[in-house]
Amino acid sequence: MATNKTEEQQQQSQAGRHQEVGHKSLLQSDALYQYILETSVYPREPEPMKELREITAKHPWNLMTTSADEGQFLNMLLKLINAKNTMEIGVYTGYSLLATALALPDDGKIFAMDINRENYELGLPVIQKAGVAHKIDFKEGPAMPVLDELVQDEKNHGSFDFIFVDADKDNYLNYHKRLIELVKVGGLIGYDNTLWNGSVVAPPDAPLRKYVRYYRDFVLELNKALAVDPSIEICMLPVGDGITLCRRLK
């Protein structure tokens, strides 16, 4: 009887968890996450962000989007640090980009990079309608060559207040080596997906989706490197799929 009770409890526990990581939340309860969205996020979500979120939800790759609660977090964070010059690596349809653009002053700038302009252009009409497209300088293509070019020019060193990275996880460490020179002392770099579907604590034989398993080791490597990097102080937050904030010290 004890065995049956345990199995029943496990089934009830699993029933209360997110069945899809598309929720972009590590909370164990759908109801609790929904409470956060309906109490804090959706009532204050700017109309353009709501419109773009709904457009993105219909896209076949919608799992790539920044969650609404993380978008709200980024928007407030940028206001708190009075960011003006920012960078974003990995744009997709532009939800986090729009959250950033709405937070920056009218003369603020975002240098945005993504390998797929088509996805960016899906959200561009909403960004234009919101009146913030003039803040965005979008460049299509791999970020690494562009970062190398930026680093070569010393006038770019320490010129960014905030940098958000939500791109190819196997390059996060390569990005970090370059971005740490580009962000100002006291500025922030935000790395998205650093808890990677919760897989960072999954046992080796855990049943994981192929892409989750492939990138997990890269995420683990990044997390270990950031934890011992003397040039930054860090804060890992369970917002969305995990975001690690790195504040440059020197």
Side-chain angles (χ1 to χ4, degrees):
M1 292 296 292
T3 301
N4 291 336
K5 185 176 181 180
T6 300
E7 290 175 353
E8 182 179 349
Q9 289 173 336
Q10 289 175 342
Q11 289 172 358
Q12 290 174 346
S13 175
Q14 290 295 329
R17 296 182 177 187
H18 298 306
Q19 300 303 308
E20 279 293 333
V21 185
H23 287 75
K24 286 297 181 93
S25 171
L26 296 165
L27 293 174
Q28 297 299 295
S29 164
D30 282 339
L32 185 56
Y33 183 51
Q34 199 63 32
Y35 175 81
I36 292 171
L37 293 176
E38 293 178 359
T39 304
S40 171
V41 181
Y42 291 160
R44 298 294 188 97
E45 185 179 33
E47 192 59 36
M49 290 183 65
K50 178 183 178 183
E51 183 179 353
L52 183 50
R53 176 168 55 81
E54 291 174 347
I55 290 172
T56 305
K58 300 172 185 176
H59 193 272
W61 301 345
N62 58 47
L63 280 176
M64 292 170 53
T65 192
T66 300
S67 63
D69 53 323
E70 187 175 6
Q72 183 186 58
F73 169 73
L74 291 173
N75 183 271
M76 180 174 285
L77 177 66
L78 287 156
K79 292 172 182 175
L80 288 171
I81 66 173
N82 295 313
K84 187 173 181 180
N85 191 36
T86 73
M87 181 190 299
E88 182 161 332
I89 302 175
V91 172
Y92 186 41
T93 61
Y95 187 80
S96 57
L97 187 65
L98 179 56
T100 300
L102 289 170
L104 298 184
D106 192 60
D107 59 346
K109 296 297 179 185
I110 314 167
F111 182 46
M113 291 177 277
D114 198 288
I115 59 172
N116 191 319
R117 177 179 288 274
E118 185 177 343
N119 289 335
Y120 167 65
E121 290 182 345
L122 186 66
L124 185 55
V126 179
I127 294 172
Q128 291 171 331
K129 187 165 63 173
V132 293
H134 66 283
K135 302 178 186 180
I136 300 169
D137 177 14
F138 178 84
K139 187 174 183 64
E140 183 180 27
M144 201 68 67
V146 180
L147 294 178
D148 285 337
E149 187 175 333
L150 288 174
V151 169
Q152 286 175 9
D153 189 342
E154 288 194 6
K155 75 176 183 182
N156 296 317
H157 290 196
S159 63
F160 290 90
D161 304 310
F162 179 78
I163 300 172
F164 183 59
V165 185
D166 183 9
D168 42 334
K169 316 309 170 196
D170 45 345
N171 262 324
Y172 269 25
L173 263 182
N174 292 324
Y175 291 148
H176 183 69
K177 293 171 184 175
R178 293 154 175 81
L179 297 180
I180 200 64
E181 295 189 49
L182 298 173
V183 72
K184 71 179 185 182
V185 173
L188 293 176
I189 306 172
Y191 291 103
D192 201 23
N193 306 113
T194 51
L195 293 176
W196 198 229
N197 295 237
S199 68
V200 290
V201 294
D205 59 346
L208 300 173
R209 296 175 187 176
K210 188 177 295 185
Y211 80 94
V212 173
R213 181 175 299 281
Y214 175 77
Y215 287 112
R216 178 177 60 171
D217 287 346
F218 294 107
V219 174
L220 287 169
E221 185 182 12
L222 171 78
N223 291 341
K224 289 177 182 177
L226 295 181
V228 297
D229 186 340
S231 67
I232 57 173
E233 57 183 348
I234 67 171
C235 179
M236 180 184 283
L237 298 170
V239 177
D241 191 27
I243 179 172
T244 299
L245 299 178
C246 306
R247 179 174 176 269
R248 182 180 173 185
L249 296 175
K250 55 186 179 179

